């Protein structure tokens, strides 16, 4: 798909992570992405050693423009005339003050796909408030899904809402581009990161409405023996997702515990769960790692971020990507 958007020009007027990530995804699909940065650069260049900026701006042409100056705005308007899409992540009203809001730009480029990606959207009681990933996770209900044994929310070490919002933005921009070339019509996309995360809780809403569960799908909530996280002999962790009986059976047969085959849906915290947990602790993480490559029971080790690159799955994926990039 690296040539799907060949010939498309996208203006990336964004900082930090979600907007740059969205635009980078479009670049990966072949779009020409021009990133507009102020003379002092995207603030992400100076945050945490600049690695966030380096990771999320691959494949782009970076142009320095002072959008607060007449010269900078003039240069920006010339770029808009040649662009198919624009993505911005300023607080609501900032682009309008600069004379670069959708209303102004659609007059000179009627078919422009204009995406505003923000924390809480372009209108509403929280639209102008500052916010970050942890806030979107909290407000959407997503953070409440990650709890420790004491029921406390676990602090994520990745910006899930930022990346998910960027993913949705690139998807909607691509769809809007298709519409643009079919109809000649532009559009203003208003995407709120908090709203994007809330969209992933549809199952929870349905189960709550039905009076069945307040934690979504019961079978995958961590309350069943066959679907959970288990500690290994050396204090690391593996996962098993053997929801289907055939996979749980395969695990039980490997364990030489045929009587366990009826235990899959028994609750965690039970005596049966304690017995299965004890079995996982009979082997080291490395031993379970090797078994996960052979045993067909939905078994996977919990890898660190850098360990994933040493896993056979990702080694092959990275090899395929390199070969695709060459061709």
């Amino acid at each position: 798909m690296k040539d799907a958007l060949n010939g498309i020009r996208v203006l990336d007027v964004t900082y930090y992570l979600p907007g740059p990530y969205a635009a980078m995804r479009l670049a990966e699909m072949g779009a020409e992405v021009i990133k507009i940065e102020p003379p002092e650069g995207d603030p992400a260049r100076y945050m945490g050693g600049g690695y966030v900026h380096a990771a999320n701006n691959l494949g782009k042409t970076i142009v320095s423009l002072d959008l607060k100056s007449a010269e900078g705005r003039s240069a920006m308007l010339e770029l808009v005339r040649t662009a198919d899409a624009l993505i911005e992540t300023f607080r609501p009203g900032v682009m309008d003050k600069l004379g670069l809001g959708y209303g102004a730009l659609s007059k000179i480029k009627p078919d422009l796909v204009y995406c505003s990606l923000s924390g809480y959207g372009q209108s509403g009681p929280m639209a102008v408030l500052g916010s970050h990933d942890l806030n979107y996770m909290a407000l959407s209900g997503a953070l409440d899904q990650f709890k420790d044994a004491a029921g406390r929310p676990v602090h994520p070490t990745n910006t899930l809402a930022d990346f998910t919002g960027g993913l949705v933005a690139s998807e909607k921009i691509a769809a809007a581009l298709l519409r643009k070339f079919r109809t000649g019509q532009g559009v203003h996309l208003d995407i709120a990161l908090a709203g994007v995360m809330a969209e992933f809780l549809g199952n929870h809403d349905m189960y709550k409405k039905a009076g069945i569960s307040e934690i979504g799908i019961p079978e995958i909530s961590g309350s069943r023996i066959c679907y959970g996280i288990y500690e290994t002999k050396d204090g690391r962790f593996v996962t098993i997702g053997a929801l289907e009986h055939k996979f749980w059976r395969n695990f039980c047969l490997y364990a030489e515990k045929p009587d366990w085959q009826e235990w899959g849906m028994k609750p965690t915290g039970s005596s049966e769960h304690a017995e299965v947990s004890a079995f996982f602790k009979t082997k080291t993480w490395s031993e379970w790692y090797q078994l996960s490559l052979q045993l067909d029971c939905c078994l996977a080790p919990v890898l660190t971020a850098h360990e994933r690159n040493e896993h056979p799955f990702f080694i092959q994926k990275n090899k395929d990507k390199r070969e695709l990039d060459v061709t």
Side-chain angles (χ1 to χ4, degrees), residues 56-306:
N56 294 283
N57 289 289
L58 302 174
K60 303 178 186 179
T61 299
I62 297 180
V63 174
S64 178
L65 291 178
D66 181 2
L67 298 181
K68 295 180 181 179
S69 71
E71 296 81 3
R73 285 193 296 273
S74 177
M76 181 67 183
L77 292 175
E78 287 304 309
L79 286 172
V80 169
R81 290 186 173 91
T82 67
D84 296 292
L86 180 149
I87 178 170
E88 61 91 8
T89 53
F90 291 102
R91 292 200 198 192
V94 172
M95 288 290 274
D96 288 323
K97 290 179 181 178
L98 293 171
L100 300 171
Y102 178 68
L105 297 190
S106 64
K107 291 177 181 177
I108 65 172
K109 183 68 175 174
D111 63 348
L112 182 67
V113 172
Y114 190 109
C115 178
S116 294
L117 180 60
S118 63
Y120 302 127
Q122 297 302 294
S123 61
M126 299 181 68
V128 298
L129 297 180
S131 52
H132 279 294
D133 187 272
L134 195 61
N135 308 131
Y136 315 139
M137 291 284 291
L139 195 67
S140 66
L143 187 61
D144 188 59
Q145 310 311 308
F146 301 91
K147 294 179 180 178
D148 63 16
R152 296 171 299 193
V154 175
H155 189 122
T157 59
N158 202 344
T159 53
L160 301 179
D162 283 348
F163 281 117
T164 304
L167 178 67
V168 169
S170 64
E171 173 195 64
K172 291 195 174 185
I173 290 171
L177 286 168
L178 176 61
R179 177 177 177 269
K180 158 192 163 78
F181 288 113
R182 282 180 171 173
T183 67
Q185 296 178 356
V187 67
H188 185 192
L189 302 171
D190 177 7
I191 301 174
L193 293 166
V196 167
M197 288 308 297
E199 291 180 12
F200 287 82
L201 295 175
N203 287 333
H204 288 65
D205 293 340
M206 292 296 289
Y207 277 91
K208 171 68 174 177
K209 185 177 180 179
I212 297 173
S213 167
E214 294 191 359
I215 52 175
I217 305 171
E219 291 82 357
I220 66 169
S221 65
S223 62
R224 303 290 192 272
I225 291 177
C226 67
Y227 196 94
I229 303 170
Y230 287 91
E231 187 174 352
T232 63
K233 184 177 183 179
D234 48 354
R236 293 200 63 178
F237 297 90
V238 296
T239 63
I240 188 166
L243 283 176
E244 295 84 359
H245 182 70
K246 62 181 180 179
F247 294 126
W248 180 246
R249 182 182 65 242
N250 288 347
F251 172 75
C252 297
L253 293 177
Y254 165 74
E256 298 182 345
K257 301 285 186 179
D259 53 317
W260 285 8
Q261 291 186 48
E262 304 305 318
W263 290 7
M265 288 298 168
K266 286 187 176 294
T268 54
S270 61
S271 59
E272 293 89 348
H273 179 235
E275 192 171 333
V276 173
S277 296
F279 178 72
F280 272 99
K281 287 186 177 181
T282 63
K283 297 184 183 299
T284 66
W285 180 82
S286 293
E287 290 175 311
W288 284 115
Y289 181 118
Q290 293 303 318
L291 282 168
S292 73
L293 301 174
Q294 308 162 25
L295 191 59
D296 188 20
C297 66
C298 305
L299 182 71
V302 177
L303 301 175
T304 64
H306 68 272

